[in-house]
Amino acid sequence: MTNSVNTNYGAMVALQNLNKTNMQLQTTQNRINTGLQVANAKDNGGIYAIAQRMRSDVSAYGVVQDSLNRGISTTDVTLAAGEAISDLLIEMKEKALAAGDTSLDTPSRVALNEDFKALRDQIATIVENAEFNGLNLIDGSATNGFIALANADGSKTITVGTENLSLSGTIVTLTSTASFGTATAASDIASQIATSLENVNSALARLGTKSKALEIHQTFVTKLSDALESGIGNLVDADMAKESAKLQSLQVKQQLGIQALSIANSAPQSVLSFFR
């Protein structure tokens, strides 16, 4: 090997190795700082693209979960109102049946009729107030019901249909002015209430089925979102134990590289000994 003061090949090699070690050390420190093995496209373009697409799906499923939660809350309010209406119809039927007793005196029938009308008006109040987030599924104002998102691209939905439980409707056939003054009228109204009660219970069954479907799908979407997040972690998360060990190794290697460069830089000084 030629001894030269112009060219120090050993120093160049030592510097190259030290620079390589410094780059590896910087990479390891970035992984420790961010907790990510693939933090940007420069680290691994293919993995980064896959992870970003999966992050987009996770974000979309968050929107789906919000939509499903609103649907569940809307149907819960609707079911609560429907169940209250069903209970009121049972009480109204009881009043009408009692008033249909021909042996009952007129003052008693009038008192029963007053109770009946109070319960009737309460149905209208419940229907009017069975609203969540501006949507009422039982007053006839909603035409399309509630449409909840079911997948990440919005191509699939779950629809909760409307059930008009207003008085004088197709489900609650009892009119908003229904009352009785005679035993015969009371018996006729009791028959109408029985039909309305069956209709309401059928409507509640349909709403209950949709509510259950929303809850099942909400659970599925939550699990799917969790699985995607776990998958992203498997792709991009750094193994902190491994990176910690690697950091210590590279720090030692860096110190040795500095010493090697120092030794290589001092090599040309040996040329002076030839001129003594």
Side-chain angles (χ1 to χ4, degrees):
M1 182 176 179
T2 303
N3 291 313
S4 172
V5 294
N6 294 319
T7 303
N8 189 339
Y9 181 74
M12 288 189 290
V13 172
L15 182 59
Q16 290 174 4
N17 289 331
L18 180 59
N19 287 338
K20 183 178 179 181
T21 299
N22 287 338
M23 290 178 62
Q24 292 174 337
L25 187 59
Q26 183 180 3
T27 299
T28 300
Q29 287 175 330
N30 287 337
R31 290 176 179 177
I32 292 173
N33 290 336
T34 62
L36 298 173
Q37 183 176 356
V38 181
N40 51 55
K42 185 171 65 174
D43 294 332
N44 189 320
I47 295 298
Y48 181 78
I50 294 171
Q52 284 294 90
R53 184 169 63 252
M54 293 174 69
R55 289 188 180 106
S56 175
D57 288 341
V58 170
S59 178
Y61 279 122
V63 176
V64 172
Q65 287 177 312
D66 290 341
S67 179
L68 290 169
N69 286 331
R70 287 196 302 274
I72 291 170
S73 297
T74 301
T75 53
D76 284 348
V77 170
T78 304
L79 283 169
E83 289 166 2
I85 291 171
S86 179
D87 291 339
L88 286 172
L89 287 172
I90 291 173
E91 289 188 56
M92 292 169 68
K93 182 181 178 181
E94 180 185 352
K95 302 295 182 184
L97 286 174
D101 187 351
T102 56
S103 64
L104 198 67
D105 58 17
T106 300
S108 297
R109 185 172 292 110
V110 169
L112 287 171
N113 187 44
E114 291 301 316
D115 289 344
F116 176 87
K117 290 190 293 184
L119 295 172
R120 177 202 66 195
D121 294 340
Q122 184 62 29
I123 289 179
T125 301
I126 290 173
V127 169
E128 183 181 351
N129 290 281
E131 178 183 302
F132 179 83
N133 195 33
L135 181 63
N136 191 318
L137 296 179
I138 62 172
D139 67 350
S141 62
T143 56
N144 298 322
F146 184 91
I147 302 175
L149 297 174
N151 62 354
D153 61 8
S155 61
K156 301 294 183 182
T157 59
I158 298 176
T159 302
V160 180
T162 60
E163 301 287 351
N164 191 348
L165 301 185
S166 301
L167 294 168
S168 304
T170 57
I171 296 176
V172 181
T173 59
L174 193 70
T175 65
S176 58
T177 58
S179 64
F180 47 80
T182 64
T184 302
S187 297
D188 290 341
I189 287 177
S191 178
Q192 293 180 39
I193 293 174
T195 301
S196 297
L197 189 57
E198 289 296 325
N199 294 339
V200 168
N201 291 338
S202 295
L204 288 174
R206 291 190 292 271
L207 288 169
T209 299
K210 285 297 184 179
S211 179
K212 188 66 175 180
L214 288 172
E215 290 179 354
I216 291 173
H217 197 67
Q218 196 265 356
T219 300
F220 166 72
V221 169
T222 300
K223 290 181 178 179
L224 183 57
S225 180
D226 290 345
L228 284 172
E229 288 189 0
S230 178
I232 294 170
N234 292 335
L235 288 173
V236 302
D237 286 355
D239 185 340
M240 300 304 286
K242 178 180 177 181
E243 297 301 331
S244 176
K246 191 173 182 180
L247 177 65
Q248 296 183 28
S249 173
L250 288 171
Q251 286 174 336
V252 173
K253 191 174 180 180
Q254 183 187 50
Q255 293 173 6
L256 291 174
I258 293 172
Q259 290 182 4
L261 181 59
S262 177
I263 292 171
N265 284 332
S266 64
Q269 295 180 3
S270 63
V271 176
L272 296 175
S273 62
F274 298 141
F275 299 97
R276 291 176 183 171

